[in-house]
Amino acid sequence: MSSTTDASAARAQIAARTLRTDRWWLPPLATFIAFTAWVAYATVRSFMQEYYYVAEYNYLTPFYSPCVSVGCVPEASHLGQFLPDVWWLPYAAVSLPFLLLFRLTCYYYRKAYYRAFWLSPPACAVAEPHAKYTGETRFPLIMQNLHRYFFYIATAIALLNTYDAILSFTKADGSFGLGLGNIILVVNVVFLWGYSLSCHSCRSIIGGRLNHFSKHPVRYKLWGFVSRLNTKHMQYAWITLATLAFTDFYVMAVSAGWISDLRIVG
Ligand code: FES
C-alpha cells in the first residue's frame, strides 16, 4: 500500500453503501446528539459570567477556573485578573481553549467525532461519503499531533481544579465545611484525573522511548498503572463530560439560589 489515496482506491467495489444489517447508525447518532447538547450547554455557561461561585462554601465551577477577568470574584482568581470584562470573553478564557483542544485532539474523541460529525466513516464496514481520504497527514488534521502538548496544559489545569476542590472544604468564615457540593467537586476531579492519566500520550510519555523496562522499574510500574487506566479511556471521556456538566450545574443552582447545598458538616 503506497499511499492513503491508493488505499481508498483499493476498497472492494460494492454498490451498496454497506452490507451491515444491524443498527450501525445508532452509536454515531447518539454521539452526535450528546456532543451537540454538551457543547451547547458549555458554550452558554462559559459566556454567562454569573452563577459560577458560591461564596459561602467556596465552590467554584470548573468552567470558570482559573477566573482571570477583572469581573471575577477575587476568591476565584488564583492566577490574578488580567483580562477585560467584556461579554464575548469567557472569564476562564486562558484555560477553556486548551481544554477544548485537549479533547478535540484526544484519540478517543477523534474516533467519535470523525464518525458522528464527518461520517468518515460513520461505522465499520460502512462506506463514507468522501471520495478522498488523506488521513491526518495535512493541515488542519496534522495538528492532531499536538495532542501531547495539550496534555501538559490540561494536567496543569487539572491541578488547579484539584486545588479548587481542596479549597472548597474551607468556608468563607475560615471554618471547615462539608456538603454535597464538596463531594460533587471531588468526584469530578477524581474522574478528571482518570481521564488525563488514561490519555494515550500520557502512557507514551511515561513508558515511551525506553529500550529496557528492567532498567527503569519506577517508570515501568507507573506505565503499568497508566496502561490499566488507558483501557478505560473511552469511559473516562464520557464520564467526565457528565461530571463536568453536572458539577457546573450544581454550582450554578446553589449560586443562583434555586437549591440549597445539602450540608453534612458546618
Ligand atoms: Fe484522549 Fe489523550 S488520548 S486525552
Side-chain angles (χ1 to χ4, degrees), residues 142-154:
I142 199 163
M143 306 291 282
Q144 304 281 27
N145 290 307
L146 296 176
H147 182 63
R148 85 163 35 206
Y149 302 104
F150 298 133
F151 163 77
Y152 292 129
I153 299 171

Side-chain angles (χ1 to χ4, degrees), residues 30-232:
T31 304
F32 179 84
I33 293 169
F35 281 6
T36 305
W38 197 91
V39 169
Y41 174 82
T43 305
V44 169
R45 278 295 288 147
S46 302
F47 285 94
M48 196 180 263
Q49 302 182 340
E50 58 181 346
Y51 306 141
Y52 59 90
Y53 181 65
V54 179
E56 194 178 355
Y57 307 129
N58 239 331
Y59 294 160
L60 174 64
T61 165
F63 284 14
Y64 282 72
S65 180
C67 208
V68 291
S69 161
V70 294
C72 293
V73 295
E75 294 84 347
S77 308
H78 311 316
L79 301 186
Q81 302 178 343
F82 47 85
L83 290 183
D85 185 5
V86 282
W87 67 266
W88 47 267
L89 201 55
Y91 278 6
V94 289
S95 56
L96 293 180
F98 292 108
L99 292 178
L100 180 68
L101 287 166
F102 180 47
R103 296 213 174 216
L104 262 184
T105 56
C106 161
Y107 289 73
Y108 168 67
Y109 282 119
R110 269 140 83 172
K111 171 192 162 189
Y113 70 82
Y114 284 177
R115 288 184 174 196
F117 288 79
W118 294 349
L119 312 177
S120 180
C124 285
V126 180
E128 58 187 288
H130 312 278
K132 256 179 45 183
Y133 174 74
T134 54
E136 294 170 338
T137 57
R138 297 185 194 170
F139 185 82
L141 290 188
I142 199 163
M143 306 291 282
Q144 304 281 27
N145 290 307
L146 296 176
H147 182 63
R148 85 163 35 206
Y149 302 104
F150 298 133
F151 163 77
Y152 292 129
I153 299 171
T155 302
I157 297 168
L159 282 171
L160 264 179
N161 293 147
T162 308
Y163 179 62
D164 291 334
I166 294 170
L167 276 188
S168 70
F169 287 96
T170 306
K171 296 196 304 178
D173 63 7
S175 62
F176 174 80
L178 174 61
L180 181 57
N182 295 99
I183 296 169
I184 291 172
L185 285 168
V186 169
V187 167
N188 176 55
V189 155
V190 167
F191 279 114
L192 282 183
W193 280 113
Y195 175 68
S196 295
L197 295 177
S198 65
C199 165
H200 295 261
S201 290
C202 174
R203 184 168 176 262
S204 154
I205 290 163
I206 288 180
R209 293 172 179 268
L210 294 181
N211 289 330
H212 306 285
F213 269 137
S214 56
K215 289 186 183 156
H216 303 273
V218 175
R219 284 181 69 179
Y220 180 60
K221 255 204 149 30
L222 289 174
W223 178 80
F225 171 69
V226 166
S227 295
R228 279 194 297 283
L229 285 180
N230 181 255
T231 61
K232 299 269 181 285

